[in-house]
Amino acid sequence: MNSSAAATIPPPVMKPHHHRTLLSHQFPALLGLIALLFPLFSPNLFTPLGRAFPFAFSEWNAPKPRHATLLKEALQHRATPRQQFELWSSLPDQGWRPCIDSALDQSLPEKSTGYLQVFLDGGLNQQRMGICDAVAVAKILNATLVIPHLEVNPVWQDSSSFVEIFDVDHFIHKIKDEVSVVKELPIDYSWSSREYYATGIRATRIKTAPVHASADWYLESVLPVLLRYGIAAIAPFSHRLAFDHLPKGIQQLRCRVNFEALSFVPHIRALGDNIVSCLRDPGKSSEDSSGLHDRLDDPAEQGSGKYVVLHLRFDKDMAAHSACDFGGGRAEKLALAKYRQVLWQGRVLNSQFTDEKLRSQGRCPLTPEEIALLLAGLGFSNNTRLYLASHKVYGGEARISSLRKLFPQMEDKKSLTSMDERAKVEGKASLSAAVDYYVSMKSDIFISASPGNMHNALLGHRAYKNLKTIRPNMALLGQLFLNRTMEWPEFRRAVIDGHKNRQGQVRGVDYFIINSMKMKHIWKYES
């Protein structure tokens, strides 16, 4: 480590920050955002107003089912034992084996080039990808990585730190032979903090890192800062490392971090294990569900003792950003358009297209009603144990009534655990998402209603472990749901045929590109 005096003294402020001017410009937009978001946190307060003034508060006025005929037929349909067997069967051994042993020399460099700090925004799963990239960048630069700082997401509002989510000692130990990691900066560099970088333009902060930057960019732009000051802080850092044209050992290191080094803290794993136990044995649930079983068919079939996780990605942000029609009429369209304008100031490409065009291209998120029909079409029966992994569903309980009608054994954290058991994660979106991630990794089948960071992260992680993961064919489903005259047998055949090769099968020879983020995972084939 460079021990010169210059490295331990904070560089001077290069340009003052005009807080008052900035605040005066942002204040009106901030008030507008608060006005839109406040009902999300106090929906009960606005429910009576919603009924009296549906134009202003359409979110809590649940629309009628858009596919009532299909729903009615789905309730009457029962899959054959053979269909159930195929649905719940594990993926066969495909001959692929994870290959994460680094081809590079795993020994640490004799001398570190300096301390590397990164500040990660986004939700838990976006931050997870950022952590993998941070380790890879530290390796590229021969730097000492400081445990990444997790920013507070303006939507989820969770201030949980790395050490409150992940087992930090396990993390450091798993990569100790390749990258040096410290929990905090030494006293000489304690000035390098989030607050320090928020009050001016600093010489040690790199804020111009391009999205998907190459390894050469880091060597040319960040390494000189490390060598001069002994420290470099990169903010923002999300998606700031390329997926292509990196050394094989760096790609493997990313995988090792994601799949082996990042382990949740014990209390998250314990709560997750309790939920998994309740799902596999409903009699262990904290809630009295005796009345539930009277409504179900004979449970003695292939899915008994198994469960599927549904990541129902249908929050208000996604609904608004998609610019799709969700059946709430003119009031809902206007409400979502106003919400979209405040959050993105008109920078939403989808708003230029019709709902029909967006759906035919698979660019609309599946509603709870549509995902219910997809699950039924695939062959899931009404006694399927379904775990709902979701933060907040746009429209609340009323919006998911069709899903619950088809799958009355749908559960979530609140239905399966007591308040005392959830005390450490209650009200903390990142910790809650960590529990859902853990339960999802333990499930027999995982399906996400729409692509996103959690979908991408779990798709790769479950492929790594050869676990069944259903990827909805969004373009096909969009076209099917546009056909309002289609009957159940035709719909079901189209769903089954369109998802035969979308259940976790690994494709590719040298590299397997997992998802839209192009997070590459290294595999080798054993004949």
Side-chain angles (χ1 to χ4, degrees), residues 193-214:
S193 64
R194 187 183 185 280
E195 293 71 26
Y196 173 70
Y197 294 111
T199 56
I201 298 177
R202 312 292 186 174
T204 52
R205 178 187 174 184
I206 289 87
K207 59 184 299 184
T208 57
V211 174
H212 301 161
S214 66

Side-chain angles (χ1 to χ4, degrees), residues 361-485:
Q361 295 178 351
R363 293 162 67 178
C364 291
L366 297 177
T367 66
E369 177 188 359
E370 291 167 344
I371 196 69
L373 289 170
L374 169 61
L375 290 170
L378 288 169
F380 290 101
S381 61
N382 72 329
N383 67 340
T384 297
R385 279 175 283 279
L386 185 67
Y387 178 80
L388 186 62
S390 181
H391 180 60
K392 288 183 179 178
V393 177
Y394 169 63
E397 182 64 29
R399 184 75 69 160
I400 64 175
S401 58
S402 297
L403 177 60
R404 194 176 295 281
K405 188 174 182 179
L406 274 178
F407 298 97
Q409 284 209 60
M410 185 170 68
E411 309 280 5
D412 57 20
K413 286 183 288 295
K414 289 186 177 180
S415 68
L416 294 174
T417 60
S418 67
M419 289 186 64
D420 288 342
E421 290 171 319
R422 299 192 307 273
K424 291 185 177 180
V425 304
E426 196 71 26
K428 298 180 179 179
S430 292
L431 295 183
S432 181
V435 174
D436 285 342
Y437 190 103
Y438 184 86
V439 174
S440 298
M441 281 304 301
K442 298 285 186 177
S443 68
D444 299 280
I445 301 173
F446 174 81
I447 182 170
S448 181
S450 300
N453 289 325
M454 184 169 179
H455 165 92
N456 293 338
L458 280 162
L459 186 64
H461 203 164
R462 289 177 63 86
Y464 176 78
K465 292 182 175 293
N466 199 41
L467 300 175
K468 183 170 283 190
T469 305
I470 298 174
R471 295 181 297 117
N473 188 330
M474 302 297 288
L476 169 68
L477 293 169
Q479 294 167 19
L480 294 179
F481 288 127
L482 283 172
N483 185 345
R484 300 303 174 87
T485 63

Side-chain angles (χ1 to χ4, degrees), residues 168-223:
V168 66
D169 293 325
H170 175 83
F171 174 77
I172 293 173
H173 175 74
K174 292 299 291 187
I175 59 175
K176 63 181 177 62
D177 293 329
E178 290 193 84
V179 176
S180 177
V181 181
V182 295
K183 296 179 182 179
E184 57 186 21
L185 287 167
I187 190 66
D188 289 347
Y189 292 92
S190 60
W191 49 264
S192 184
S193 64
R194 187 183 185 280
E195 293 71 26
Y196 173 70
Y197 294 111
T199 56
I201 298 177
R202 312 292 186 174
T204 52
R205 178 187 174 184
I206 289 87
K207 59 184 299 184
T208 57
V211 174
H212 301 161
S214 66
D216 287 342
W217 184 90
Y218 282 97
L219 292 171
E220 294 168 1
S221 304
V222 180
L223 184 57

Side-chain angles (χ1 to χ4, degrees), residues 157-410:
Q157 288 295 316
D158 186 352
S159 60
S160 299
S161 66
F162 184 105
V163 299
E164 291 174 302
I165 302 173
F166 299 106
D167 187 332
V168 66
D169 293 325
H170 175 83
F171 174 77
I172 293 173
H173 175 74
K174 292 299 291 187
I175 59 175
K176 63 181 177 62
D177 293 329
E178 290 193 84
V179 176
S180 177
V181 181
V182 295
K183 296 179 182 179
E184 57 186 21
L185 287 167
I187 190 66
D188 289 347
Y189 292 92
S190 60
W191 49 264
S192 184
S193 64
R194 187 183 185 280
E195 293 71 26
Y196 173 70
Y197 294 111
T199 56
I201 298 177
R202 312 292 186 174
T204 52
R205 178 187 174 184
I206 289 87
K207 59 184 299 184
T208 57
V211 174
H212 301 161
S214 66
D216 287 342
W217 184 90
Y218 282 97
L219 292 171
E220 294 168 1
S221 304
V222 180
L223 184 57
V225 177
L226 282 170
L227 295 175
R228 180 175 181 182
Y229 297 107
I231 189 168
I234 308 176
F237 186 71
S238 296
H239 310 301
R240 290 313 195 269
L241 180 61
F243 296 108
D244 301 308
H245 310 300
L246 291 175
K248 183 178 179 180
I250 296 296
Q251 302 284 41
Q252 292 170 326
L253 176 59
R254 273 173 149 169
C255 293
R256 187 158 40 259
V257 174
N258 198 5
F259 304 143
E260 296 189 356
L262 287 175
S263 176
F264 295 121
V265 292
H267 78 82
I268 289 177
R269 301 199 306 268
L271 180 58
D273 285 333
N274 184 30
I275 291 172
V276 171
S277 179
C278 291
L279 288 166
R280 297 205 181 281
D281 182 1
K284 293 183 180 181
S285 174
S286 300
E287 301 289 335
D288 179 14
S289 57
S290 57
L292 171 66
H293 297 288
D294 295 336
R295 303 198 303 269
L296 304 177
D297 296 337
D298 179 12
E301 55 181 270
Q302 291 295 331
S304 181
K306 299 182 179 182
Y307 73 95
V308 57
V309 169
L310 167 62
H311 179 223
L312 186 57
R313 191 167 181 250
F314 194 69
D315 53 54
K316 189 169 185 177
D317 277 19
M318 165 158 269
H321 194 272
S322 70
C324 298
D325 180 6
F326 299 107
R330 181 169 177 265
E332 182 179 65
K333 289 181 181 179
L334 289 174
L336 290 178
K338 290 179 180 179
Y339 186 85
R340 183 163 58 244
Q341 180 63 30
V342 171
L343 262 64
W344 297 288
Q345 293 80 47
R347 299 188 301 271
V348 178
L349 182 63
N350 279 7
S351 60
Q352 303 174 23
F353 303 101
T354 64
D355 177 74
E356 183 175 355
K357 185 173 184 63
L358 292 172
R359 290 190 179 277
S360 65
Q361 295 178 351
R363 293 162 67 178
C364 291
L366 297 177
T367 66
E369 177 188 359
E370 291 167 344
I371 196 69
L373 289 170
L374 169 61
L375 290 170
L378 288 169
F380 290 101
S381 61
N382 72 329
N383 67 340
T384 297
R385 279 175 283 279
L386 185 67
Y387 178 80
L388 186 62
S390 181
H391 180 60
K392 288 183 179 178
V393 177
Y394 169 63
E397 182 64 29
R399 184 75 69 160
I400 64 175
S401 58
S402 297
L403 177 60
R404 194 176 295 281
K405 188 174 182 179
L406 274 178
F407 298 97
Q409 284 209 60
M410 185 170 68

